[in-house]
CSV table of all heavy atoms in Angstrom, one decimal:
chain,number,residue,atom,x,y,z
A,638,LEU,N,11.3,4.5,-5.4
A,638,LEU,CA,12.6,4.9,-4.8
A,638,LEU,C,13.0,4.0,-3.6
A,638,LEU,O,14.1,4.2,-3.1
A,638,LEU,CB,12.6,6.4,-4.4
A,638,LEU,CG,12.3,7.4,-5.5
A,638,LEU,CD1,12.3,8.8,-4.9
A,638,LEU,CD2,13.4,7.3,-6.6
A,639,GLY,N,12.1,3.2,-3.2
A,639,GLY,CA,12.4,2.3,-2.0
A,639,GLY,C,12.0,2.9,-0.7
A,639,GLY,O,12.5,2.4,0.4
A,640,GLY,N,11.2,4.0,-0.7
A,640,GLY,CA,10.8,4.6,0.6
A,640,GLY,C,10.2,3.6,1.6
A,640,GLY,O,10.5,3.7,2.8
A,641,SER,N,9.4,2.7,1.1
A,641,SER,CA,8.7,1.8,2.0
A,641,SER,C,9.6,0.6,2.4
A,641,SER,O,9.2,-0.2,3.2
A,641,SER,CB,7.4,1.3,1.4
A,641,SER,OG,7.5,0.9,0.1
A,642,LEU,N,10.8,0.5,1.8
A,642,LEU,CA,11.7,-0.6,2.1
A,642,LEU,C,12.8,-0.2,3.1
A,642,LEU,O,13.5,-1.0,3.7
A,642,LEU,CB,12.4,-1.0,0.8
A,642,LEU,CG,11.5,-1.6,-0.3
A,642,LEU,CD1,12.4,-1.9,-1.5
A,642,LEU,CD2,10.9,-2.9,0.2
A,643,GLN,N,12.9,1.1,3.4
A,643,GLN,CA,14.0,1.6,4.1
A,643,GLN,C,14.1,1.1,5.6
A,643,GLN,O,15.3,1.0,6.1
A,643,GLN,CB,14.1,3.1,4.1
A,643,GLN,CG,12.9,3.9,4.7
A,643,GLN,CD,13.0,5.4,4.4
A,643,GLN,OE1,13.9,6.0,4.8
A,643,GLN,NE2,11.9,5.9,3.7
A,644,VAL,N,13.0,0.8,6.2
A,644,VAL,CA,13.1,0.2,7.5
A,644,VAL,C,13.4,-1.3,7.5
A,644,VAL,O,14.2,-1.8,8.2
A,644,VAL,CB,11.8,0.5,8.3
A,644,VAL,CG1,12.0,0.1,9.7
A,644,VAL,CG2,11.4,2.0,8.2
A,645,LEU,N,12.8,-1.9,6.5
A,645,LEU,CA,13.0,-3.4,6.4
A,645,LEU,C,14.4,-3.8,6.0
A,645,LEU,O,14.9,-4.8,6.5
A,645,LEU,CB,12.0,-3.9,5.3
A,645,LEU,CG,10.6,-3.8,5.7
A,645,LEU,CD1,9.7,-3.6,4.4
A,645,LEU,CD2,10.1,-5.1,6.4
A,646,VAL,N,15.1,-2.9,5.2
A,646,VAL,CA,16.5,-3.3,4.9
A,646,VAL,C,17.4,-3.2,6.1
A,646,VAL,O,18.5,-3.8,6.2
A,646,VAL,CB,17.1,-2.4,3.8
A,646,VAL,CG1,16.3,-2.7,2.5
A,646,VAL,CG2,17.0,-0.9,4.1
A,647,ARG,N,17.0,-2.5,7.2
A,647,ARG,CA,17.8,-2.3,8.4
A,647,ARG,C,17.5,-3.4,9.4
A,647,ARG,O,18.3,-3.7,10.3
A,647,ARG,CB,17.5,-1.0,9.1
A,647,ARG,CG,17.8,0.3,8.3
A,647,ARG,CD,17.5,1.5,9.1
A,647,ARG,NE,18.1,1.6,10.4
A,647,ARG,CZ,17.9,2.6,11.2
A,647,ARG,NH1,17.0,3.5,11.0
A,647,ARG,NH2,18.5,2.6,12.4
A,648,ASP,N,16.3,-4.0,9.3
A,648,ASP,CA,15.9,-4.9,10.4
A,648,ASP,C,16.3,-6.3,10.1
A,648,ASP,O,15.9,-6.9,9.1
A,648,ASP,CB,14.3,-4.9,10.5
A,648,ASP,CG,13.8,-5.6,11.7
A,648,ASP,OD1,14.6,-6.3,12.4
A,648,ASP,OD2,12.6,-5.5,11.9
A,649,ARG,N,17.2,-6.9,10.9
A,649,ARG,CA,17.7,-8.3,10.7
A,649,ARG,C,16.6,-9.3,10.8
A,649,ARG,O,16.8,-10.4,10.3
A,649,ARG,CB,18.8,-8.6,11.7
A,649,ARG,CG,20.1,-7.7,11.4
A,649,ARG,CD,21.3,-8.4,12.1
A,649,ARG,NE,21.1,-8.4,13.6
A,649,ARG,CZ,21.5,-7.5,14.4
A,649,ARG,NH1,22.0,-6.4,14.0
A,649,ARG,NH2,21.3,-7.6,15.7
A,650,ARG,N,15.5,-9.0,11.4
A,650,ARG,CA,14.4,-10.0,11.5
A,650,ARG,C,13.8,-10.2,10.1
A,650,ARG,O,13.2,-11.2,9.9
A,650,ARG,CB,13.4,-9.5,12.5
A,650,ARG,CG,13.9,-9.4,14.0
A,650,ARG,CD,12.8,-8.8,14.9
A,650,ARG,NE,12.5,-7.4,14.4
A,650,ARG,CZ,11.6,-6.6,15.0
A,650,ARG,NH1,10.9,-7.1,16.0
A,650,ARG,NH2,11.4,-5.4,14.6
Side-chain angles (χ1 to χ4, degrees):
L638 298 179
S641 48
L642 296 175
Q643 61 189 299
V644 187
L645 291 147
V646 295
R647 295 180 60 185
D648 190 354
R649 291 198 299 271
R650 296 173 300 177

